Amino acid sequence: MSSYYPRTKDLTRTRKSLTESPPSSPSPTDKNYRHDRLSRYDSSGESATDKPLGCTSSYTRRETRLAALNRQEPDSSVKDYKKMYAEALHENERLKSRLQVSKQELVKIRSQLEKVTQRHDRISERSSVLESEKREKQALEKKVSDMEEEIKTLTELKSDNQRLKDENGALIRVISKLSK
């Protein structure tokens, strides 16, 4: 039992190290093992050793096909990376152009907003100017009405003055006739 215990301990250590280590790509021996396992079975799932010897030619053809596929696999992955890179570049360019269009729209909208703001400022200035002009107009109208009243009183005073002059002249004539 003591010989069994260290082995279990080593086995648990190995399991821990396998679970703690990050997943890696299959090693070449794993690939060969998988290839051997796949090559033992044909598409029907029967073992190649279970078949009669007459089927060995199809077995070798299958083996050569699998070997050819395995050789083509790295080339296709390089092509896929190139294709993916080209697609990413194309997408990047498309997004850059959309960003430029968005920036131009933003500049246009900002200029429109600035125009509207200036227009609003002008309108508010106009309204404040209009209010001050209204106050000035009211003040001027009051002055005009006061001046009109003064003019009326002046004309009344002139007419009174003229009447008094006429009366004074008449009295002077009466006095001069009496004194003669």
Side-chain angles (χ1 to χ4, degrees):
M1 179 118 177
S2 64
S3 66
Y4 180 72
Y5 180 71
R7 184 173 176 215
T8 307
K9 193 175 186 181
D10 291 339
L11 185 60
T12 56
R13 283 185 189 156
T14 307
R15 285 184 186 162
K16 280 185 181 178
S17 66
L18 286 175
T19 58
E20 291 173 356
S21 66
S24 60
S25 63
S27 66
T29 56
D30 291 340
K31 286 183 182 177
N32 289 338
Y33 174 74
R34 195 167 119 222
H35 177 68
D36 288 343
R37 191 179 59 190
L38 288 174
S39 65
R40 278 190 243 143
Y41 294 94
D42 66 352
S43 62
S44 67
E46 295 178 359
S47 171
T49 57
D50 295 341
K51 290 188 172 193
L53 290 174
C55 295
T56 56
S57 64
S58 67
Y59 173 73
T60 54
R61 282 191 304 237
R62 186 162 190 259
E63 287 293 319
T64 55
R65 256 187 299 155
L66 285 173
L69 285 174
N70 285 339
R71 273 185 255 122
Q72 289 177 356
E73 196 173 287
D75 294 337
S76 66
S77 67
V78 170
K79 289 179 184 176
D80 287 343
Y81 287 126
K82 287 180 182 178
K83 185 178 178 182
M84 288 170 40
Y85 179 73
E87 288 173 356
L89 281 178
H90 178 68
E91 180 71 11
N92 195 10
E93 288 300 318
R94 187 180 67 80
L95 290 174
K96 280 183 182 178
S97 66
R98 283 185 61 195
L99 179 65
Q100 282 299 109
V101 168
S102 297
K103 282 183 179 179
Q104 290 172 351
E105 288 178 6
L106 179 64
V107 167
K108 183 192 280 185
I109 289 170
R110 280 187 178 163
S111 67
Q112 288 175 351
L113 179 64
E114 184 67 29
K115 287 178 183 177
V116 168
T117 306
Q118 287 176 353
R119 208 175 289 149
H120 179 66
D121 289 344
R122 278 189 240 135
I123 289 171
S124 64
E125 287 175 8
R126 285 181 188 168
S127 65
S128 65
V129 168
L130 287 174
E131 288 177 19
S132 64
E133 285 179 355
K134 280 183 179 179
R135 280 186 246 122
E136 287 178 21
K137 183 178 177 182
Q138 288 173 351
L140 288 174
E141 285 176 349
K142 187 177 179 182
K143 282 184 182 178
V144 166
S145 64
D146 289 344
M147 291 176 130
E148 285 175 348
E149 296 238 354
E150 286 180 21
I151 289 174
K152 282 182 183 177
T153 47
L154 283 176
T155 53
E156 287 175 5
L157 288 175
K158 279 185 182 179
S159 64
D160 285 344
N161 195 12
Q162 187 63 34
R163 186 180 50 82
L164 288 174
K165 280 183 185 177
D166 291 339
E167 284 180 11
N168 195 13
L171 284 175
I172 291 175
R173 275 184 265 136
V174 168
I175 291 176
S176 70
K177 277 187 188 178
L178 284 177
S179 55
K180 280 188 184 177

